[in-house]
Amino acid sequence: MQTPKALFFDVFGTLVDWRTSIAREAEAILRPLGHSLDWLAFADAWRGEYQPAMEDIRSGRLAFCKLDVLHRRNLERILPRFNVAGLSEDVMRHLNLAWHRLDAWPDSAPSLARLKRKCLIAPVSNGNISLMVDRARRNNFPWDAILGSEIAGDFKPKPRVYLAACAAFDLPPSECMMVAAHSNDLASAAKNGLRTGHIARPNEHGPGRGETMPTVPVDAAGVDLEDLVGKLGL
Amino acid sequence: MQTPKALFFDVFGTLVDWRTSIAREAEAILRPLGHSLDWLAFADAWRGEYQPAMEDIRSGRLAFCKLDVLHRRNLERILPRFNVAGLSEDVMRHLNLAWHRLDAWPDSAPSLARLKRKCLIAPVSNGNISLMVDRARRNNFPWDAILGSEIAGDFKPKPRVYLAACAAFDLPPSECMMVAAHSNDLASAAKNGLRTGHIARPNEHGPGRGETMPTVPVDAAGVDLEDLVGKLGL
């Protein structure tokens, strides 16, 4: 396989551990206010609203908006389930931006630095630009550019998101590879002509609850990003 | 003055020396093909078509396209003036991408690295994303994100370009500063609520042919970017 000229990355779950990071952030903000809840269940519930919220936009029922806006709507939806009410606007805002403060899996940043010597690298995430920037600063992700939903005006797995990323780099899809820990993301990327690389994140949704193997055909697969980079000869 | 949270940069002329770089690239490509022309005049002529070409889009006469496309149209327009004809498609493409291979003024990269420790930094240029990425790689510009015309779908000094950049970073214009060596760029940024920083690039259009001082009110001005950074206390 010829070396891809650009590597595009899913970020939530693939490069960062959203579940324990959101649980930690929620606890740090809400416990001092007297709330005590199952923090990991709270993270799972918040993330559980993610796909349905985007579906309203992918289907055309609602106009495109930043993921931060959807996260806020989802937060307001789940707080009552955990009997949390009456948070101030400042607290709500800070809590909502917890998604900007996620920590990377340990191999993410070193592997990206290594890849950048050979290829263009960019997130092709459903997160908005400011969210990607904050996350890059926190975790030393050395992106060439922030691509993804906000430049495409739609959410993955809609074709436009992958194709807008290729177009931004002036590359045909066949010279780009989408890297993700989620087979549905890679299935759509492949259908749109991109090459695909899967990485296992076996603990994404809790211990043993993440994809260890792709469920669709891919061009390469690794047990983590470091392994995938090695297999690509990069 | 409060420290801006984000600094936005004009790039052509402000951070990079387009004139001598384009002259050098054109000579490197065309001289081996037997062409001999006034290379600096060629650079000036190509750049001279820049504003009129964008005006077709700013005015709504033509739909938005990447600056690379306008550069190609402009190149085809000026080549006959220099009696250059019959270039192959490969040569035309390589020559057109000379704008991706411009060298920075010496103070640009070190000052951006210093600024990045305190503020978000992004180009807000009329150049497209791939052009900005190539230029960043060549010159070590450590951007947080590539903003500007391609995410706004229009060209400066249209308000939308400045405002789309502020919106991408979730910041009100008053917390952002536009930095440029061109007073007309800063005048529009100021009109749209951004703060403004001018830097002198006295040789942009040739020795002694560049702005040494702003011709409009600005919040800060420096003899180069290093000087401006110092004056901002950053």
Side-chain angles (χ1 to χ4, degrees):
Chain A
M1 185 176 64
Q2 217 190 339
T3 304
K5 289 191 179 158
L7 287 169
F8 297 141
F9 289 85
D10 177 60
V11 179
F12 295 87
T14 298
L15 296 179
V16 302
D17 173 9
W18 57 264
R19 188 170 185 262
T20 66
S21 299
I22 289 293
R24 175 201 66 219
E25 290 289 318
E27 181 171 7
I29 294 167
L30 296 178
R31 190 184 282 287
L33 299 174
H35 299 285
S36 179
L37 38 122
D38 180 340
W39 306 108
L40 287 167
F42 178 79
D44 289 337
W46 202 356
R47 184 68 174 173
E49 299 292 330
Y50 175 70
Q51 291 295 344
M54 287 190 297
E55 196 51 33
D56 282 337
I57 288 160
R58 290 191 287 238
S59 66
R61 280 192 296 275
L62 292 177
F64 179 77
C65 65
K66 294 184 188 194
L67 187 60
D68 279 346
V69 174
L70 298 183
H71 276 149
R72 175 63 185 257
R73 200 179 302 164
N74 295 343
L75 176 61
E76 289 171 9
R77 192 166 294 170
I78 63 159
L79 282 173
R81 289 186 220 157
F82 292 86
N83 300 312
V84 178
L87 300 179
S88 71
E89 178 55 29
D90 276 359
V91 168
M92 285 294 284
R93 194 169 303 188
H94 185 51
L95 181 54
N96 194 51
L97 295 183
W99 294 95
H100 290 227
R101 301 186 298 271
L102 306 188
D103 290 336
W105 302 111
D107 59 307
S108 297
S111 299
L112 290 176
R114 186 171 151 195
L115 282 170
K116 196 179 181 182
R117 298 201 304 262
K118 303 281 185 72
C119 306
L120 295 171
I121 58 170
V124 173
S125 161
N126 284 332
N128 38 282
I129 291 172
S130 62
L131 189 161
M132 287 296 127
V133 166
D134 286 345
R135 214 174 267 181
R137 283 206 164 223
R138 182 180 183 95
N139 294 296
N140 295 310
F141 294 165
W143 302 125
D144 283 294
I146 308 289
L147 307 177
S149 63
E150 196 170 344
I151 70 152
D154 209 337
F155 291 110
K156 292 188 296 179
K158 290 284 284 286
R160 180 178 173 73
V161 186
Y162 307 96
L163 298 176
C166 301
F169 279 171
D170 303 327
L171 293 172
S174 61
E175 294 184 356
C176 302
M177 175 176 275
M178 183 74 208
V179 177
H182 310 125
S183 294
N184 70 323
D185 197 352
L186 298 179
S188 182
K191 202 169 164 186
N192 289 288
L194 288 81
R195 283 185 274 168
T196 52
H198 185 272
I199 54 183
R201 292 303 186 194
N203 303 320
E204 178 183 353
H205 295 271
R209 292 195 294 133
E211 285 191 18
T212 52
M213 306 260 287
T215 60
V216 296
V218 296
D219 294 296
V223 297
D224 58 17
L225 183 55
E226 193 181 358
D227 184 42
L228 180 71
V229 171
K231 284 178 174 164
L232 293 172
L234 293 169
Chain B
M1 183 175 67
Q2 214 189 341
T3 304
K5 290 190 178 159
L7 287 169
F8 297 141
F9 289 85
D10 177 60
V11 179
F12 294 86
T14 297
L15 296 179
V16 302
D17 173 8
W18 57 264
R19 189 170 184 264
T20 67
S21 300
I22 289 293
R24 175 201 66 220
E25 290 289 318
E27 182 171 5
I29 294 167
L30 296 178
R31 190 185 281 285
L33 298 175
H35 298 286
S36 179
L37 38 119
D38 180 339
W39 306 107
L40 287 167
F42 178 78
D44 288 337
W46 201 354
R47 184 67 175 175
E49 298 292 329
Y50 175 71
Q51 291 296 342
M54 289 190 297
E55 196 52 31
D56 281 338
I57 289 161
R58 289 190 288 239
S59 66
R61 280 192 296 275
L62 292 177
F64 179 77
C65 65
K66 294 185 188 192
L67 187 59
D68 279 346
V69 175
L70 298 183
H71 276 149
R72 174 64 184 255
R73 200 178 303 165
N74 295 344
L75 176 61
E76 289 170 10
R77 191 165 295 170
I78 62 159
L79 282 173
R81 287 186 222 158
F82 292 87
N83 299 311
V84 178
L87 300 179
S88 72
E89 178 56 30
D90 277 0
V91 168
M92 285 294 284
R93 195 170 302 187
H94 185 50
L95 181 55
N96 195 50
L97 295 184
W99 295 95
H100 290 228
R101 300 187 297 271
L102 307 187
D103 290 334
W105 302 111
D107 58 305
S108 296
S111 298
L112 289 176
R114 185 171 152 196
L115 281 170
K116 195 177 182 182
R117 299 201 303 263
K118 302 282 185 68
C119 305
L120 295 171
I121 59 169
V124 174
S125 162
N126 284 331
N128 38 282
I129 291 172
S130 62
L131 190 161
M132 288 295 126
V133 165
D134 286 344
R135 215 174 266 181
R137 283 206 164 221
R138 181 180 184 95
N139 294 296
N140 295 310
F141 294 165
W143 301 126
D144 283 294
I146 308 289
L147 306 177
S149 63
E150 196 171 345
I151 71 153
D154 209 336
F155 291 110
K156 292 189 296 179
K158 290 283 284 288
R160 179 177 173 72
V161 186
Y162 307 95
L163 298 176
C166 302
F169 280 171
D170 303 326
L171 293 172
S174 61
E175 294 184 357
C176 302
M177 175 176 276
M178 184 74 209
V179 177
H182 310 126
S183 294
N184 70 321
D185 196 353
L186 299 178
S188 183
K191 200 169 166 185
N192 288 289
L194 287 81
R195 283 184 276 167
T196 51
H198 186 273
I199 53 181
R201 293 301 186 195
N203 304 320
E204 179 183 354
H205 296 270
R209 292 194 293 134
E211 284 191 18
T212 52
M213 306 260 287
T215 60
V216 296
V218 296
D219 294 296
V223 296
D224 59 17
L225 183 54
E226 192 181 358
D227 183 43
L228 181 70
V229 171
K231 283 180 175 161
L232 293 172
L234 294 169

